[in-house]
Every structure is written in structure tokens, then in C-alpha cells.
Amino acid sequence: MASTQSSSVPSRGGGGGDGEKRLEALALDKVAEAADAVASAACAGEVVRAVHAVASLLFPVDSATVAGTVEEPFRSQIIEAATLSNDERDSWRCAFYQGPAFPTMSKILLGNVAMKWLRKIHASARNEIYDSFFVKGPPVEVIQALIPALSEKEDSKEDHQTFFSNLERLLILCLLDNKGVFQIVAEFASSNKHGDGIVNPDKTIFISRVAQLLTSVPDKARLGASAALTSPSFFKDVISQLLAGAEAVTVEFAADKDANEHCALSSMFHFLGEVLSRVSRRGSIGILVAELIPRIRNHLHRCVPADYKAISPNMIEHVSQSQFWFNMVEAMRDQHSVERLTEELLRQLASNHISDGEAYWILWTLFNQSFKRLTVMRAMFIDKFLLWKTFPLCCLRWILHYAVFECPPNSATETLLQRSFFGILQNLASIWSKKEFIQSYSVEQQAYITAAIGLCLEKLTKKELETTKDVLNSILQGVSCRLESPIDLIRKMASAIALTFSKVVDPKNPLYLDENCCENVDWEFGILSPKEIKAPLQAVESRKKPKTCENKRNAGEKKEKAIKHDIPGVRAKIVEIKLDHDQRSDTATSEQFEEEFDRESMNTDASGDSSLEPYDLSDDDTDLQKKFSHLSDLAAALRKPDDSDGVDNALSSAEKFVRASPDELRHNSGDLVRALVHVRCSDVAMEGEEDSAEEKRQKALIALLVTCPFESLDVLTKLLYSSSVDVSQRILIIDAMTEAAQELAEAKIVKTEHHGNLITDTSPSWLVPSNRGPPGAGPWREVSEPGTLLSWSHRYEREVPSRSGQVKSGKSRKWGLGKAKDLQVGWSRNRFPLYAAAFMLPVMQGYDKRSHGVDLLNRDFVVLGKLIYMLGVCMKSMAMHPEASALAPALLDMIRSRDVSLHAEAYVRRSVLFAASCILVSLHPSYVASSLIEGNKDISTGLEWIRTWALQVAESDPDTECMSMAMTCLRLHSEMALQTSRALESADHSKAGRALPSKLDSIIIPFGNMM
Amino acid sequence: MASIEQPRRRRPPPDPIAVLRGHRAAVNDTCFHPSLPLLFSGAADGELRAWDTASHRTVSSVWAHAGSAGVYSVAAGAGLGNKIISQGRDGTCKCWGIEEDGLSRKPLFTVKTSTYHFCKMSLVKSPSTDARSGSSCSTSDVEPPRVSIEQNTESRGANPTEAPQEHDQCTTSNGHNMLAIAGQESSQVELWDITNARKIITLPQACSADTTDHPTKRKGLCMAVQAFIPCESVGYVNILSSYEDGSTLWWDVRKPGLPLSSVKYHSESALSIAIDGFCNGGISGGADDKVVMFTLDHPKGTITLRKEIELERSGIAGTAIRPDNKIAATAGWDHRIRVYNYNKGNALAVLKYHSDSCNAVTFSSDSKLMASCSADTTVALWELYPPKPQSKVEITQTD
């Protein structure tokens, strides 16, 4: 050993490349020697000695410590090993790592040594002679040795374990603990420092490979590897080193004037870009951005003094680190990653509640270089981010300020709007105005673009607006198009734009299309807030109109209550005021007429006039309204449009009159219905009271429908498709029918308690599941679930004794009022099924016919939507009645037609989903079961269609509400399937006694997981 | 003092003390007998009824103006004595005697005025007859009111002595035998001598009717008249007339060509006018939403606005001032009787009973009762702010 050591003293000056080659060969020899020694080693000491021999050539090894860990004779051998000077070691190391020696050595170290000996080597010795090879070597070389090894396979499980845990330990040590990535960055930078500046292709490939290796670590690490190697923490660490390193390097270069900065840094940026793109491709963009934001914010704070208000680009450019930030995005060659990065950046900035100004300057710092030069970048901001994505509103503001207005928000100097601005606005507006856009885009997207246009309009002046004729037209078209929409939010968007637009045209005369439209438009529309709280799936029903109705009613009640509550106070006030007034006027008049009535007051006694104490002067006009005594008068009064008071009176007394249901009602109802439909409330009612007049009219119609359904329906259903009525009247008819159906169906259930046994219906209701079950099972009890869809149908539960062997852990208690109540038998007084056919069948014919003034499928789709909704309500109103089963196939037929179920308007699709859900809940399971058994195609295919169609909608409908309704529909379908399976079970049970229990048990109940 | 003791909270308005039912058509007018406890009412079907105000029963009934014409107005006055006059829309006014068992079966006499308009006739009111309850017209040159016979005086006896005016027979006769009514040419006002069934004068006088600036033709139909003899006019009849365009004119028979004064308080046709006991002022109502209180300035001959009261609902068909000048009442199309403090002009009560538009309101001469009649075929009797029962001692003290 000694001889080789002496001969191995390298001569640094010895002939350039030749000397290096020689040294590399020598190093390889040394490695070979060590390899032999390790291979033939019999004890750990021998291995330590062999490895130490190589290590001491390269690193300043503390031989004494190493020697202390082994026994003789190795101890003395280690101590005897010659120590080299620093220069000598450097040249050795250079040769070792650049040549083939390191890869060979690392193979030995990672393989044989790690698996057989490492555990036996003392930790301090391991630090000195084993880890040094990786920690002290250049990290670029080290990772090329370590990371590929991660994907190697070892035979035995134990070996596998040892091998990988060692590898991972080394990786953490060298990349994370030792700031390996930082070193890599520095290395790439310095390698090109004085080079020719052109990165040769080989080098490019090499850099990419390093980057690829680096980012592949979390993927390659084993499942049980240390947490530091999982992608979140690993990437977090890597990126922070990377950014810090790159920033430091840039600063260094900026200080060094000689260096050709751009060229010198190109490979470093190349590496940076590669790593960042790969990280983003691997789905860890969030971690990247989370690291990025604090750094860039710090940077901006560094650039701008805290008390400085207006930032100018110069201030940022002057700071040396800026060069790094300017180039960072451009370094990412991969456009997709840039996009992901930007998107994530915007979202995270929004959730951090960063001020508009700061956000603008962050965007400016990152993108200002590339935005001007690269059309791709501009397209990303202007096309992708404005038209295709949706961001929170604040992000939209930043995007607009950065990419469209090109000026910082709240900037004191009003910059002139760029020409590109008008192009963008034009583009936005033309898309916004299209009918197809309203139909086929999600509400979020629509709100987003609406907000974008609104924010752009706010920047405009009237003059500028007039120069862009097309914008004007598109906006008007878009507004009018939206105002027709049945969806409230869409109308709200239209009125918001209209308001903004009118403010541009004439700031003094804003146009309020909506009553609750406030001066400052809320562009968020409740959708575009940064924290997106998705409402939980609600019942289909509650999504639809009834809810709003109920709300309205509730609101009305509340209002009424409030008013009632207020009345005493108000009246007291009025009285007070009046009193005051009286007193004042008293004094005034008495002064005025003092002279005149002097005489009189002398003659009459003092209390003469004051004895004239006023009575309560309150007055109302309830008695003034004309009373109608004949139904025919009522109809006649309604037909006199010039006598508005008369019509008004007739409207207000109509409902009461009809509800009294006089004998002649049956003969006059048709006439009255016609009169009510044709009366023009808006002409008659006083301004501001049109709504109440409309309401009275609708209530009167409902009353008619309820009191004599057949006669009224006969007229109404004919009127519905006649060309003599307009859309509003059609909607009125449908609304009235809907509410009448609900009223007729309003189940008044008479419940009898089971206490006495006098007259009781002991046979359980057919709604109750069969009593079969394990012995000892308790009686079925109805579960009431207020507010959920499930309460439409009936749910029962019972107590089941635990099976033998089933361990009951803990105690469960139910708290409730009283004891388990007896099963109550109820009789439904639902009158609707009797009239259901008259309600549904006539209107289901001819909805698709197009005649003069009637075009339900296209123009009047709102009517169609309402009609289908009404049919759904009808179905629901006769839930579980045999009539439902008879009418369901017809309704299924209607909604299955392509024109209806695939209607372009979301409104119609929602109605169809609602109707489908109603069919599902209203069919009696036993009917479904029997139709399955008998092979009734109508029902089975119809129900199957509902399922597939709902699935399709839930997957791909642009309207989010449709999607959630479809989900509910699916849930209902599965519940219906469950009920049906129960019905089948009981049918089988009654047929075959206890013959087929095993088969029935295997029915999969899709119930538990759908809740 | 009573008012102070009264609680501050307002009482609910009173209900009628009695409702007189029996008419089969809208009741157009009603009036109290000046001394007897009788009330007369005329309905649109021509029936004239007399009611006992104590028992609230019909005393007698005659078909005064047959058929569709109907009774449009009834009037009784101290000056007429035991007679009442009914005006029908058949062009006649009929005078009926009051007998033991009610009305005479046949009219004592009939005045053919040949008028078919909507103006209720008016008897001549003089301050001394009504304003006897304490004060009298200070400038009156007649003998002071005779307090001793106040309560139960027979009008017959009272009349000749109370009527101080010795009218110039060429223009007017005794005021008690005259009635004012809109003329055949309904923009004119005529003054008739009842007993002689003779037209005394036409205002504006026919001679000036042809002139270009006809004072009333452009004002439309005459809708209401009120004749009176103020103290200042020395017995000459003055007339207030209201016209379709809302204006009110003040005539003096001594100047039949032109009115003394002309004012326009109403934006729509003025429908009723009433004058207070002193003949110093009055109240008028019309088809618009205003009730106007005005004063008459006799020396200057001008009408001045005293108070204008806005109404919630327009249309006043009748007005009346209580003989003691304390309160005034209006009969509204809105089915309400409204009561006002006549001196101050503030509202006192809104009386709701009638279920159709009210046609007239009147007070009894002792100020204790008020009667209102309505198109709902009823007459309602009310007791409002009863005047203080004044003992004779007090009265003599005040005197």
C-alpha cells in the first residue's frame, strides 16, 4: 500500500489533459484495488481500510476517528496511510469525479458495501469515509449515480430494504441537508462563466437529464421512504434552493461586469426552467407557487420603500435581483407549464388577499419581458384567461389591468387606452352577445365574461364607446338576449351590464332594470368569489320555483309581521303628529280668527269649542269596494277594461267569491276563466300595484281550478295553445295549474291513534315493508325526515336483534319525544288523482306543434320549461296513487323526445330533470315491480332512460345546476330501485313462501353509499 | 272643562242612534221640522215620508212626485209655518201641510217651475231665525230675539214678529214665502214667491242676458243655491249660487244684472253650499276633493277663503252647518259623513254607516240631531256634540 501511495502522488503541473487522463487511470486503479479488497473482505475492518484508502486520497479524512472504530491490524494500517496536501487532493478529486472512477466506486459503495458491511461500520467512520464520497462530491455527478440506482431491483427483500434505505438516506443528505440543488445551480452557472456563451446541444441534453433526474426522485422513492422525499416536501425544498440559488447567482453576475451576463446564465436558466416545468408537469405546481409568492413579494418590498405610494417600472429594474425574476418565466420553455404556473399564481394570490396594486406588480415583474415579445404569452392572458378559464373576480381585475389596460390599478396618471383594448372588448362583447354562449356555457363562465365586459366598460368614456360601433351593438344584443332568460342570474348579468353601459352613456341617468340593483354593481354575482363554497346537493324541489315561491311567501309573511308589529308604533306616531298638527293649527287658526270670533267667544262659555273633541279619524276604504253578488257580474266587470276600478274590485273579490263555490259556479266557471285569463292587469292596476293585481288574478284562477276543476281545465287547456293568448298568459295558466294541483293534492291525513282497539285497521298499510325478518325484530316505524327528498316517499325503520356472535360495543341511545309511537294509519285526502288526467293529458298533446304565435320548442322555451315543471308537480301530487302509474308512461314519452330532453336551454333541461325525478318518486314500487315482471316495456325502458340520461347530464352538462339535479335524480333512481327490489322480494315471498331467501339476500342495495 | 277630563285617546266615531228604513229608492234629501219632532225625507221613486224622530217610525207617506221623477229635495222652514215644500224632477215644487196624522194627502198648492235640473231649491235663511241661541246679529236693526219662547215656540206665532223685514214688494215679498232655485235656463237662478206661485226675479236679469259677457252662461249649470237675508241688506234677499265649473257667485236682488262677487274655489263642479246662522260665512263642497269654508264680507261684498280642507276621496253631495254654528257636516260620495269644527275647520269625525253614496245631511233646529240620507235607501240619525243644556238662568245671565 505504501508504495502505491508514494507513486500516486500526482504532479499537478504535469502536462494538461495528458496528466488528467493519467490521474483518472490511477484513480480507477485505486478503486479497483479497493473493490478487490471489499470483495474479499472477511470483516468490517478490512472494508473500512479499503474504502479509507480511496477516501483519504480525495477528502481530508480524520483518520484517527476512523481508526478508532476498527481493530488491529487495520487500525495501524489506516493511521499509517499517508496524508496528502490540499492541492494534491483537489487534483485527485477532480480526476476521480470526472473520470470513470466515481461511477465505479459508487456502484461498489452502494452495492456490496452498503448491503453487507455498512451496518457493521461505526457511524463516525461511515460519515468520514462512506458519506463523503457523495456529500463532498459535485452534486451533479452524485445525483447521476444515486438517482438511477433508485430504480434498480434487488433480489431478496432484506437486501432491497437495506439498499434503498441507504440510498434514500444519501439522497436526503446530499440534496436536502447539504443544499445540493443550490450547488447544482451554482455549478451550471460557473461552468459557463467564462465559456463561449453558446450552450452546446450536448450540454442542453445533459442539463435536461439532470433536471429530469432531480424531479423524478419523489416518483422513484419507495412508498415507505422518508417524508422528506415525498413530492410536497421534496419539491418545496428543491424549489426553495433552486430559487435562492438562481437569485444569488444572478446577483453575483450582475456585480461581475466582465461576464457576458445573458449567455453566462443561459444554462442556469435552462436548468431552472427545466426543473420548474417538470415540477409543474408532475402536478406540484401549487407547491412551486407557494414557494414563489413570498419570494417575489419580498423582492418587491426590497425594490420599493415601504412608504412609497406609486411604483414605477424603473424602481424595479434598478434592483439587481430583478434580472432573475424577469427571466424566470421565460426560462420555462414549456408553455403549458407556464400557463399552469400563471393560473396557480393568480389563484393563490387571490386566496392570500393580495392588494390589486401588489398583484399587478407581481404580474408585471414576472411577465413583462415575455409579454411584449411573445404572442403566446399575450394569447394566454387575453384569450385563455379571459375567455376560457374562470378566476375569482380579483384575478380578473388583475388580468385586465395587466394585459388589457396595461396600467397599474389606481394609477394617478390615466393612461390612454390601447388600441388593443378595443379589439379585446369587441371580441368579448361579440362572444357575450351570442345566444349560443348563453345556452351552452356554464354560469360561472358567463359571470366571468360578464364581469370582464363590465370592468372594461367602466373604463370607457362615452366618446370612446361611440368609436366602437360593434361593441355597442353586441352589448345591446347581449342584454336583450339575456333579459329574456328565465334564469334569474342571467337576467341579473344583463341588468348589471345595462347599468354600467348606461352610466357610460349618461352618468347622471343610470338605467336600473332591476329593483334591487344597487349603484355599485357586484360583479361577483355570488359566484366569482375566491373561496368557492359549493352548496351541498339540495333536493331537486328546493332548487326549483317552489322554493322561491316559498321564500317569497315567507318574506311576505315576515314583512307582514314586521308591518303588523310596527303598526301600533306608527299609528301612535301619526296620532302624535296629528295632535301636534291640530294643536298648532288650533293656535294658528285661533289667532287668525280671534278677532272674528271674539264676540262669540265672549258669549259662549270658555269650553264651548274645546268640547268638540275629535273622534278617531282613521278611515279605510274596505267598505267602498264594490260587492259583487253574481258570478256573471264578475265576469262582465272583468271584461270592461275602461272601468279600471271595477276590474280591480272584481279581481280582488273573485277569489273569495269562487271559494264560496255558489251553485252557479259550474255554469259560469268557463266564462270566468276566460275573462280572468284575458284581463289586462297592467292596464288596470295603478302604478306599482300590478303585481298584486296579477297575484289576485292567479289566485282567482287557482280557486276556480280547485273548486270546479273539469270545467276550468277544459277552457284553460284549450286556451294554453290558442293563438289568442300571449306568453305571459300561457305562463299564468301553467302557474295557476301548478299551484292548483298542489292545492288539490294537499294531503290532509287523518290519523287515528292506536290506543283503543275499538275500530282499528290492523292490516298494515301497503306502504310498510313486510314483517318478515329475523325473529325478535321490532315493529316498523316511519322515519320522518323533514326537509329531505326522501320524505316524499316513506321510510321505515325497525329494531333488529343482533345476530348471535355479533358483539355489541358501547351503548346507543336515541333521544326523542316520548316512546316509540305506534304505527299510525293515515288516509290521504288527496283529491288530485281524480283530476290528474284532465290536468296532464290535454297539455301534453301538441306542445311540439308550431302554429301562429305558438312555438314552445324554440321561441317560447320558458313556457315549455314551466309546462314540464307543472307536469312534474302533477306527478308528484299523485305520488303512490295508481293514477301515477297510468300517467307516467305518457309523461315519460314526452320528456324522452329529443327536442325536449336535449333542449338547448338549460332551463328546459332542468325542468325535465325535475319531472323525471318526480316520476321516480311518484311511481309505486309494486307497480314498477309488476311491470318488470310482466315485461311492460314502457315503464322499464323509460326508467332506464332516466338513469342513462341523468348519468349523461351529470357528466357533461354545461349547466352546473343541471348536473347537481341529475345527481339527485340518480340518487332517487337508486332509491326507487331499492324499493322495487323490496317489492319484488315481498312478491316472491308471498308467491313462494320462504323458498328463495338466499337469492334475495344477494340483491345489492345501492342505498347506503348514496346517502 | 269637560274636555280636559276626557282621556287623550280618541274615541271611536259614534254609530247612528237610529236608522230609518222604509224607502224603496235612494233617499235624495231630508229635513227636520223646525219645531215638531218630525223628519221629512224624499226618495228617488217619488215618495215623501214623514218620520217621528222620537219613535223613529214613519208617520205618513205620500207619493209626492210620481213615477220616475222622484223627490229631489225637501225643505221646511220656520218661515213656512206648518208646511213643507218638496221639489220634484217633474218641473214642480209642491207644498204640503202638516196635519194631525202627518202629511196632507194632497199638496196644498203646486208651483210649476218647469225646471228639470240637479239643483236643490233653497228657502230664504235669515240670521235672526237661527242664531237665537245666545248671540244675535249685532248690527241687526230688528227687535232682539225673544228668548222667552225659545224652546217651544210655535213657528206660526214666531214668524210675523220675527220677520222684521218689510220688503219692498216690487222686488221681493216676505222672505218666508220665497224659494230660490236654478231656472229653466239652468245657468240662471230664479226667485219664486211660493204662495203666489210667481217668479219674482231671474238672476242674472234677462235684460242683460244677451250681452256678450253673460256673467253665468259660461259657468255652466247652476248646481246649488242658497238664499239668505243678511242683516246688512235691510231685508233684501241675497243669493249664493254654485256652478258647474266650480265657481260661486254672490247676488243681491237689488243688482240683478251682475253678481256682487265671484270666486272659484273648486276645480270641478261645486255641488252644494250652506250658509251659517249669522249669514257671515258658509261651507261649500263639490265634485273635487275639497271642502271650502268661506266668509262673506258684507260691507265690501266679497267672498274670502277661510279654510280649505283636503279630502281623501272626492265628491261632496251635501253640506250643512248646525244652527249653533259649531259644527258643519258633509255628505260624501264615499259613503261617509264628515263632521268638522265649523270655527276652526278641523276634522272631528268620519261617520261610517251608509253603504252607498250619501246625498244630503241636515241638522235639527235645536242642534241636537243630525240626519243623513243616502242612496242606500236609509236615513240615519246621529247625535253629535250635543249642545249644552242651557238653563234659563244662564241665558238671562248671558243676555
Side-chain angles (χ1 to χ4, degrees), chain A residues 628-655:
Chain A
F628 290 91
S629 51
H630 292 282
L631 277 171
S632 47
D633 293 351
L634 213 59
L638 288 174
R639 291 221 169 84
K640 284 180 193 152
D642 43 336
D643 176 17
S644 63
D645 278 353
V647 177
D648 205 32
N649 276 341
L651 275 178
S652 30
S653 50
E655 191 197 356

Tab-separated table of all heavy atoms in Angstrom, chain A residues 628-655:
chain	number	residue	atom	x	y	z
A	628	PHE	N	-119.785	42.215	-5.380
A	628	PHE	CA	-120.437	41.522	-6.488
A	628	PHE	C	-121.359	40.468	-5.910
A	628	PHE	O	-121.015	39.773	-4.963
A	628	PHE	CB	-119.399	40.867	-7.380
A	628	PHE	CG	-118.598	41.860	-8.149
A	628	PHE	CD1	-117.417	42.363	-7.647
A	628	PHE	CD2	-119.049	42.311	-9.380
A	628	PHE	CE1	-116.698	43.300	-8.352
A	628	PHE	CE2	-118.326	43.244	-10.077
A	628	PHE	CZ	-117.152	43.748	-9.567
A	629	SER	N	-122.488	40.390	-6.481
A	629	SER	CA	-123.410	39.411	-5.943
A	629	SER	C	-123.640	38.269	-6.921
A	629	SER	O	-124.194	37.259	-6.575
A	629	SER	CB	-124.728	40.079	-5.598
A	629	SER	OG	-125.174	40.819	-6.703
A	630	HIS	N	-123.180	38.423	-8.141
A	630	HIS	CA	-123.368	37.349	-9.116
A	630	HIS	C	-122.060	37.085	-9.837
A	630	HIS	O	-121.324	38.002	-10.164
A	630	HIS	CB	-124.437	37.726	-10.129
A	630	HIS	CG	-125.788	37.796	-9.531
A	630	HIS	ND1	-126.541	36.682	-9.242
A	630	HIS	CD2	-126.516	38.859	-9.118
A	630	HIS	CE1	-127.686	37.043	-8.691
A	630	HIS	NE2	-127.696	38.372	-8.597
A	631	LEU	N	-121.848	35.823	-10.096
A	631	LEU	CA	-120.642	35.465	-10.826
A	631	LEU	C	-120.623	36.105	-12.201
A	631	LEU	O	-119.579	36.513	-12.696
A	631	LEU	CB	-120.567	33.942	-10.974
A	631	LEU	CG	-119.994	33.193	-9.796
A	631	LEU	CD1	-120.182	31.721	-10.008
A	631	LEU	CD2	-118.524	33.513	-9.635
A	632	SER	N	-121.785	36.198	-12.800
A	632	SER	CA	-121.810	36.755	-14.151
A	632	SER	C	-121.412	38.230	-14.122
A	632	SER	O	-120.778	38.721	-15.045
A	632	SER	CB	-123.186	36.578	-14.762
A	632	SER	OG	-124.154	36.994	-13.821
A	633	ASP	N	-121.772	38.925	-13.021
A	633	ASP	CA	-121.341	40.317	-12.877
A	633	ASP	C	-119.829	40.394	-12.859
A	633	ASP	O	-119.216	41.283	-13.440
A	633	ASP	CB	-121.854	40.911	-11.562
A	633	ASP	CG	-123.359	41.036	-11.566
A	633	ASP	OD1	-123.950	40.830	-12.647
A	633	ASP	OD2	-123.928	41.324	-10.496
A	634	LEU	N	-119.283	39.430	-12.158
A	634	LEU	CA	-117.826	39.395	-12.013
A	634	LEU	C	-117.159	39.298	-13.380
A	634	LEU	O	-116.272	40.079	-13.729
A	634	LEU	CB	-117.480	38.166	-11.174
A	634	LEU	CG	-116.283	38.233	-10.255
A	634	LEU	CD1	-116.454	39.358	-9.270
A	634	LEU	CD2	-116.141	36.920	-9.518
A	635	ALA	N	-117.601	38.346	-14.140
A	635	ALA	CA	-117.021	38.150	-15.464
A	635	ALA	C	-117.259	39.378	-16.325
A	635	ALA	O	-116.366	39.815	-17.062
A	635	ALA	CB	-117.618	36.912	-16.114
A	636	ALA	N	-118.443	39.949	-16.193
A	636	ALA	CA	-118.750	41.129	-17.006
A	636	ALA	C	-117.856	42.291	-16.611
A	636	ALA	O	-117.347	43.016	-17.472
A	636	ALA	CB	-120.216	41.502	-16.823
A	637	ALA	N	-117.641	42.446	-15.310
A	637	ALA	CA	-116.804	43.546	-14.845
A	637	ALA	C	-115.378	43.371	-15.352
A	637	ALA	O	-114.713	44.337	-15.716
A	637	ALA	CB	-116.814	43.601	-13.320
A	638	LEU	N	-114.935	42.120	-15.386
A	638	LEU	CA	-113.561	41.882	-15.849
A	638	LEU	C	-113.408	42.228	-17.326
A	638	LEU	O	-112.317	42.489	-17.806
A	638	LEU	CB	-113.184	40.419	-15.635
A	638	LEU	CG	-112.952	40.010	-14.191
A	638	LEU	CD1	-112.734	38.521	-14.103
A	638	LEU	CD2	-111.743	40.734	-13.636
A	639	ARG	N	-114.483	42.198	-18.039
A	639	ARG	CA	-114.398	42.438	-19.482
A	639	ARG	C	-114.486	43.910	-19.827
A	639	ARG	O	-114.523	44.262	-20.994
A	639	ARG	CB	-115.530	41.690	-20.179
A	639	ARG	CG	-115.337	40.200	-20.116
A	639	ARG	CD	-115.700	39.547	-21.437
A	639	ARG	NE	-115.261	38.163	-21.429
A	639	ARG	CZ	-115.980	37.183	-20.899
A	639	ARG	NH1	-117.142	37.451	-20.357
A	639	ARG	NH2	-115.522	35.945	-20.927
A	640	LYS	N	-114.583	44.765	-18.805
A	640	LYS	CA	-114.668	46.199	-19.105
A	640	LYS	C	-113.332	46.853	-18.783
A	640	LYS	O	-113.111	47.314	-17.659
A	640	LYS	CB	-115.762	46.850	-18.255
A	640	LYS	CG	-117.149	46.541	-18.753
A	640	LYS	CD	-118.172	47.219	-17.859
A	640	LYS	CE	-119.556	46.692	-18.132
A	640	LYS	NZ	-120.402	46.792	-16.942
A	641	PRO	N	-112.457	46.898	-19.750
A	641	PRO	CA	-111.131	47.426	-19.449
A	641	PRO	C	-111.129	48.911	-19.138
A	641	PRO	O	-110.206	49.420	-18.520
A	641	PRO	CB	-110.334	47.126	-20.715
A	641	PRO	CG	-111.341	46.933	-21.769
A	641	PRO	CD	-112.591	46.468	-21.118
A	642	ASP	N	-112.182	49.641	-19.560
A	642	ASP	CA	-112.164	51.082	-19.314
A	642	ASP	C	-112.558	51.413	-17.877
A	642	ASP	O	-112.239	52.470	-17.370
A	642	ASP	CB	-113.082	51.820	-20.295
A	642	ASP	CG	-114.408	51.100	-20.470
A	642	ASP	OD1	-114.425	49.874	-20.218
A	642	ASP	OD2	-115.405	51.736	-20.841
A	643	ASP	N	-113.216	50.470	-17.207
A	643	ASP	CA	-113.580	50.727	-15.812
A	643	ASP	C	-112.549	50.036	-14.924
A	643	ASP	O	-112.735	48.907	-14.484
A	643	ASP	CB	-114.981	50.177	-15.549
A	643	ASP	CG	-115.360	50.343	-14.084
A	643	ASP	OD1	-114.712	51.143	-13.393
A	643	ASP	OD2	-116.299	49.669	-13.654
A	644	SER	N	-111.459	50.719	-14.715
A	644	SER	CA	-110.347	50.037	-14.052
A	644	SER	C	-110.684	49.724	-12.601
A	644	SER	O	-110.282	48.698	-12.074
A	644	SER	CB	-109.084	50.873	-14.135
A	644	SER	OG	-109.264	52.080	-13.458
A	645	ASP	N	-111.470	50.594	-11.972
A	645	ASP	CA	-111.834	50.312	-10.584
A	645	ASP	C	-112.659	49.047	-10.496
A	645	ASP	O	-112.465	48.210	-9.602
A	645	ASP	CB	-112.637	51.483	-10.000
A	645	ASP	CG	-111.720	52.597	-9.537
A	645	ASP	OD1	-110.493	52.364	-9.574
A	645	ASP	OD2	-112.231	53.658	-9.166
A	646	GLY	N	-113.578	48.934	-11.442
A	646	GLY	CA	-114.443	47.772	-11.453
A	646	GLY	C	-113.643	46.495	-11.628
A	646	GLY	O	-113.858	45.503	-10.922
A	647	VAL	N	-112.684	46.535	-12.560
A	647	VAL	CA	-111.868	45.350	-12.805
A	647	VAL	C	-111.070	45.026	-11.556
A	647	VAL	O	-110.960	43.864	-11.145
A	647	VAL	CB	-110.935	45.589	-14.009
A	647	VAL	CG1	-110.039	44.393	-14.203
A	647	VAL	CG2	-111.746	45.843	-15.248
A	648	ASP	N	-110.558	46.067	-10.965
A	648	ASP	CA	-109.748	45.877	-9.766
A	648	ASP	C	-110.582	45.230	-8.665
A	648	ASP	O	-110.162	44.256	-8.033
A	648	ASP	CB	-109.231	47.240	-9.307
A	648	ASP	CG	-107.966	47.100	-8.503
A	648	ASP	OD1	-107.195	46.172	-8.794
A	648	ASP	OD2	-107.766	47.911	-7.583
A	649	ASN	N	-111.773	45.767	-8.481
A	649	ASN	CA	-112.679	45.203	-7.483
A	649	ASN	C	-112.993	43.761	-7.783
A	649	ASN	O	-112.964	42.900	-6.901
A	649	ASN	CB	-113.993	45.985	-7.474
A	649	ASN	CG	-113.886	47.212	-6.615
A	649	ASN	OD1	-112.992	47.277	-5.785
A	649	ASN	ND2	-114.763	48.151	-6.833
A	650	ALA	N	-113.307	43.525	-9.047
A	650	ALA	CA	-113.679	42.173	-9.445
A	650	ALA	C	-112.533	41.220	-9.158
A	650	ALA	O	-112.726	40.118	-8.640
A	650	ALA	CB	-114.027	42.145	-10.924
A	651	LEU	N	-111.318	41.681	-9.461
A	651	LEU	CA	-110.156	40.827	-9.229
A	651	LEU	C	-110.016	40.519	-7.752
A	651	LEU	O	-109.735	39.379	-7.367
A	651	LEU	CB	-108.891	41.525	-9.723
A	651	LEU	CG	-108.578	41.369	-11.195
A	651	LEU	CD1	-107.323	42.143	-11.545
A	651	LEU	CD2	-108.384	39.913	-11.543
A	652	SER	N	-110.210	41.545	-6.931
A	652	SER	CA	-109.959	41.285	-5.520
A	652	SER	C	-111.074	40.463	-4.877
A	652	SER	O	-110.833	39.772	-3.893
A	652	SER	CB	-109.709	42.574	-4.753
A	652	SER	OG	-110.398	43.629	-5.321
A	653	SER	N	-112.263	40.546	-5.443
A	653	SER	CA	-113.311	39.752	-4.796
A	653	SER	C	-113.469	38.387	-5.454
A	653	SER	O	-114.165	37.532	-4.916
A	653	SER	CB	-114.620	40.522	-4.818
A	653	SER	OG	-114.890	40.975	-6.109
A	654	ALA	N	-112.806	38.207	-6.598
A	654	ALA	CA	-113.048	36.979	-7.364
A	654	ALA	C	-112.722	35.731	-6.555
A	654	ALA	O	-113.516	34.802	-6.481
A	654	ALA	CB	-112.242	37.007	-8.640
A	655	GLU	N	-111.535	35.740	-5.915
A	655	GLU	CA	-111.122	34.509	-5.263
A	655	GLU	C	-112.107	34.117	-4.170
A	655	GLU	O	-112.548	32.968	-4.087
A	655	GLU	CB	-109.714	34.660	-4.674
A	655	GLU	CG	-109.177	33.308	-4.224
A	655	GLU	CD	-108.011	33.430	-3.281
A	655	GLU	OE1	-107.562	34.550	-3.039
A	655	GLU	OE2	-107.574	32.384	-2.785
